[in-house]
Amino acid sequence: MRDQHGAPLPDVVVEVVAPVHPGSVQQVAVMDQVDKQFQPRLLAIMQGQAVSFPNSDDIRHHVYSFSDTKRFELKLYAGTPIQPIRFEQPGVVVLGCNIHDSMVGYIYVSKSKDVLISDQQGAVKIPAYAEQVAIWHAQQTQEIDTRRIVTVTQLQQSGSVIVETQTPAPRNTFSEMFKEHHGH
């Protein structure tokens, strides 16, 4: 996986497009909060899987999502909420914190049991039986919910996939505004 400048692109979600075989998802995934950041920044789960949102910081967070895939809110809390949240619809869930504007995370909810994330070199190991894959990245120029379908044959012929990315707009947080206007 590479960006439009030819640089390796980490954190590209690659989902094997396959006939959906219903299965039970037992394991609860974890989206932690550490040093005022979601950890991991990108979490890939299966449709129907539950996610726990522990807060490992020594301050409170207020986690929410307005995404069509899953709208929810975990009001100001410390520790771990009692109930994990189940994600029934496939798609992308963008996470935020009402208290800390710089906290942004993503949950990619897949239909397939085969969902991979590219490493720091932009590499993924696609299963031999895959014929098509869906490609998604948080900074893609396409709409946030858009997945690009690519055949494995195209991948084998080109050797890589180019994902057009854009740098996110800077977040205008209160603390950043304070620093700008007060020279800190």
Side-chain angles (χ1 to χ4, degrees):
M1 303 296 147
R2 300 198 171 277
D3 68 12
Q4 65 268 31
H5 308 293
L9 192 58
D11 294 334
V12 176
V13 175
V14 179
E15 178 183 355
V16 175
V17 178
V20 177
H21 302 291
S24 62
V25 180
Q26 305 297 329
Q27 184 179 359
V28 174
V30 175
M31 177 60 87
D32 204 345
Q33 294 139 78
V34 179
D35 296 329
K36 296 183 193 172
Q37 297 297 317
F38 288 105
Q39 198 62 259
R41 187 170 186 276
L42 168 63
L43 178 65
I45 63 170
M46 278 187 63
Q47 182 177 355
Q49 194 166 358
V51 177
S52 177
F53 289 86
N55 177 356
S56 294
D57 283 335
D58 59 1
I59 55 176
R60 292 172 169 238
H61 291 295
H62 184 136
V63 177
Y64 69 92
S65 174
F66 295 128
S67 302
D68 289 339
T69 300
K70 182 70 172 186
R71 293 176 190 268
F72 70 93
E73 183 176 25
L74 296 171
K75 294 189 177 185
L76 205 57
Y77 73 98
T80 302
I82 295 170
Q83 285 285 47
I85 295 175
R86 190 160 304 280
F87 292 79
E88 300 292 353
Q89 301 294 333
V92 176
V93 178
V94 181
L95 305 172
C97 174
N98 270 343
I99 309 303
H100 307 100
D101 288 343
S102 63
M103 284 180 65
V104 178
Y106 302 90
I107 298 177
Y108 182 95
V109 185
S110 72
K111 290 182 184 178
S112 171
K113 66 177 179 57
D114 294 308
V115 61
L116 313 155
I117 299 175
S118 65
D119 63 18
Q120 290 300 311
Q121 288 75 41
V124 292
K125 185 162 177 53
I126 297 172
Y129 56 83
E131 294 179 16
Q132 289 184 323
V133 292
I135 309 289
W136 177 86
H137 192 270
Q139 293 176 345
Q140 66 191 16
T141 56
Q142 299 163 307
E143 291 293 320
I144 194 76
D145 289 322
T146 302
R147 300 177 324 147
R148 186 167 127 213
I149 306 297
V150 178
T151 67
V152 173
T153 305
Q154 288 172 305
L155 278 173
Q156 291 167 337
Q157 289 171 350
S158 67
S160 65
V161 171
I162 303 299
V163 178
E164 295 274 334
T165 61
Q166 58 192 352
T167 304
R171 301 200 52 108
N172 195 9
T173 65
F174 178 76
S175 62
E176 288 170 352
M177 289 171 41
F178 183 80
K179 287 177 187 175
E180 287 173 16
H181 297 294
H182 298 283
H184 296 281

